[in-house]
Amino acid sequence: MKPMSENGTMRRGRPGYDQQGILDVAVAAFNQFGYDATSMGVLADRLGLSKSAIYHHFASKDEILDRALDAALGALEGVLREADAATGPAADRLDLVLRGAVHVLVDKLPYVTLLLRVRGNTEVERRALARRRAFDKAVTALVSEAQTEGSLRGDIDASVVSRLAFGMINSIVEWYRPGGREDADRLAADVVAVALDGLRTPASNRVQELLG
Amino acid sequence: MKPMSENGTMRRGRPGYDQQGILDVAVAAFNQFGYDATSMGVLADRLGLSKSAIYHHFASKDEILDRALDAALGALEGVLREADAATGPAADRLDLVLRGAVHVLVDKLPYVTLLLRVRGNTEVERRALARRRAFDKAVTALVSEAQTEGSLRGDIDASVVSRLAFGMINSIVEWYRPGGREDADRLAADVVAVALDGLRTPASNRVQELLG
DNA sequence: GTCTATATTGAGATAGAC
DNA sequence: GTCTATCTCAATATAGAC
């Protein structure tokens, strides 16, 4: 079987790997063992290549990480751009962001998983963290807007709200595996339902407040 | 200043470190750089010791990790034991577990942070993951009970519910820093409020369902 | 585009003195 | 309880042939 990239594009022409093919394998290994614990040696074994062949495609181990993180960040930033382009209440645009983020997370699961484990010890990692912070900041602004609109509860700080919501979303990488019972749409619906309406039985709680 | 352990106990007698003192420093370093990326050399530097001095206290780097993970797991398991001992509806016992988990997370922030980053590549890590899974299983059972009671929404799978709830709770380690604006009680209250009642404005959503 | 061989550095761990 | 000195191994990366 020919090498095939995760995005489904079958490469043509000469045999051997292209950057994307190596990236897919590398990201999987980084997620399994951790970036630091993954040596170029085991990477080479998994690829069926020698170590030096990898250096033909990437200048360093760091650069592999850089490309992988960029893929995840680019996709997330795309969700934000789409939501910003949309009109309507902030609550609706936030809904778009939450659902979009779940979809990115599912579509690029290994890449986002890797991104979420970055701690900022190298320059590459720090740049990735800076982009993540910018993303979080934009989401927090959206939450703040929705609170002002009155569509989101205002008794909790906007940054806490957005962190908790994305804490929930991001935790999906810890257990979601494609091909399972839940597809991405169902998962996104569940997550947004829990985030917005909570876990309590719809009929059993708020009624009290209305009747009390 | 004498070495002091994180739990506040000042050690008496001869100078030098005890296990707890080394553990506190090691866990902080593991969280900053990652376990694999933290060499015994930098650990020794931070302690103001030589590498070999550390081996007087711990048999291996792995054993340091083992002790640290045990501290976090023991505390979490304690929360579960307390909730199991309590009587009352499952929803109330689940509330105890959620609040208790947030408190453990805040009290032992570095230790729980380390635990949450374990991926299971060594025997020590796999044992820790097994204990985590047992914890999650117990929480899921509690959720399931609460769903049967009718106090938690039953339209989402119990294991998804508990994973999302703990995803939210666990994400606190990513941003909470002690001494900040929010103390542990306030934080626990916010988290449980969001998890149970959601982010939407209490009055603005469910009313529709009742009146519709 | 991939290979073998190698340079160089730093890792975890131990021996044995004080 | 801590030290210096050292062992052994594996890491990233490069050189240069095919």
Side-chain angles (χ1 to χ4, degrees):
Chain A
M1 195 172 78
K2 268 194 182 328
M4 186 167 67
S5 299
E6 196 180 69
N7 58 16
T9 58
M10 191 82 75
R11 290 178 305 97
R12 296 200 153 273
R14 293 196 302 288
Y17 286 94
D18 61 358
Q19 280 205 355
Q20 186 60 48
I22 290 179
L23 214 46
D24 288 342
V25 173
V27 168
F30 291 164
N31 283 329
Q32 180 175 352
F33 304 120
Y35 173 74
D36 288 297
T38 305
S39 69
M40 296 295 275
V42 314
L43 221 53
D45 285 347
R46 289 211 171 185
L47 288 160
L49 290 181
S50 65
K51 286 192 289 178
S52 57
I54 302 175
Y55 284 96
H56 176 77
H57 298 278
F58 295 94
S60 65
K61 192 183 169 187
D62 221 40
E63 190 184 284
I64 302 178
L65 182 62
D66 193 33
R67 300 294 179 101
L69 296 178
D70 181 63
L73 285 162
L76 286 171
E77 288 159 354
V79 167
L80 212 51
R81 273 194 302 274
E82 283 180 34
D84 277 348
T87 57
D92 291 352
R93 278 176 285 137
L94 181 61
D95 193 277
L96 277 178
V97 169
L98 297 183
R99 262 174 239 275
V102 174
H103 273 99
V104 166
L105 204 143
V106 169
D107 289 345
K108 301 195 184 301
L109 191 61
Y111 289 82
V112 178
T113 301
L114 187 63
L115 173 66
L116 292 176
R117 293 183 184 163
V118 157
R119 308 258 61 96
N121 294 304
T122 65
E123 196 49 45
V124 163
E125 295 189 356
R126 277 187 288 275
R127 279 207 313 272
L129 281 186
R131 284 171 75 180
R132 265 197 75 187
R133 275 194 297 273
F135 180 87
D136 292 346
K137 198 177 164 192
V139 174
T140 300
L142 205 50
V143 166
S144 202
E145 218 182 313
Q147 286 180 326
T148 305
E149 277 178 5
S151 42
L152 278 200
R153 60 192 301 162
D155 60 332
I156 300 179
D157 188 72
S159 71
V160 173
V161 164
S162 78
R163 279 165 167 158
L164 290 179
F166 265 87
M168 192 184 261
I169 290 174
N170 291 338
S171 74
I172 292 172
V173 303
E174 302 289 336
W175 55 271
Y176 180 78
R177 294 298 169 262
R181 201 181 316 274
E182 312 217 28
D183 68 352
D185 279 327
R186 170 66 195 263
L187 182 64
D190 282 356
V191 169
V192 174
V194 171
L196 294 184
D197 296 327
L199 298 172
R200 233 195 285 265
T201 310
S204 79
N205 54 339
R206 302 286 168 67
V207 186
Q208 304 304 321
E209 297 169 16
L210 291 171
L211 304 179
Chain B
M1 194 172 81
K2 266 194 183 327
M4 187 167 67
S5 299
E6 196 181 66
N7 58 17
T9 58
M10 191 83 76
R11 291 178 305 97
R12 297 200 152 273
R14 294 196 301 287
Y17 286 93
D18 60 358
Q19 281 206 355
Q20 185 61 48
I22 290 179
L23 214 47
D24 288 342
V25 173
V27 168
F30 291 164
N31 283 330
Q32 180 175 353
F33 305 119
Y35 173 74
D36 288 298
T38 304
S39 69
M40 295 297 275
V42 313
L43 220 53
D45 285 346
R46 289 212 172 185
L47 289 160
L49 290 180
S50 65
K51 285 194 290 178
S52 57
I54 301 175
Y55 284 97
H56 176 78
H57 298 279
F58 294 94
S60 68
K61 192 183 170 187
D62 221 40
E63 189 184 285
I64 302 178
L65 182 63
D66 194 31
R67 299 295 178 99
L69 297 178
D70 181 62
L73 285 162
L76 287 172
E77 288 159 355
V79 168
L80 212 51
R81 273 194 303 276
E82 283 179 33
D84 277 348
T87 57
D92 292 352
R93 279 175 285 136
L94 181 62
D95 193 278
L96 277 179
V97 169
L98 297 182
R99 263 174 238 276
V102 175
H103 273 99
V104 164
L105 204 143
V106 169
D107 290 345
K108 301 197 185 301
L109 190 61
Y111 288 82
V112 178
T113 301
L114 187 63
L115 173 66
L116 293 176
R117 293 182 185 164
V118 158
R119 307 258 63 95
N121 295 304
T122 64
E123 196 48 47
V124 163
E125 294 189 357
R126 278 186 287 276
R127 279 208 313 272
L129 281 186
R131 284 172 73 179
R132 265 197 75 186
R133 276 194 297 273
F135 179 87
D136 292 346
K137 198 177 163 194
V139 173
T140 300
L142 206 49
V143 166
S144 203
E145 218 182 313
Q147 286 179 325
T148 305
E149 276 178 5
S151 42
L152 279 199
R153 61 192 301 163
D155 59 333
I156 301 179
D157 188 73
S159 71
V160 172
V161 164
S162 77
R163 278 166 168 158
L164 289 179
F166 265 88
M168 192 184 262
I169 290 175
N170 291 339
S171 74
I172 292 172
V173 304
E174 302 289 336
W175 55 271
Y176 181 79
R177 294 298 170 262
R181 202 181 316 273
E182 310 217 27
D183 68 351
D185 279 327
R186 170 67 195 263
L187 182 64
D190 282 356
V191 169
V192 174
V194 171
L196 295 184
D197 296 327
L199 297 172
R200 232 194 285 267
T201 310
S204 78
N205 53 337
R206 303 286 168 66
V207 185
Q208 305 303 323
E209 298 170 18
L210 290 171
L211 302 180

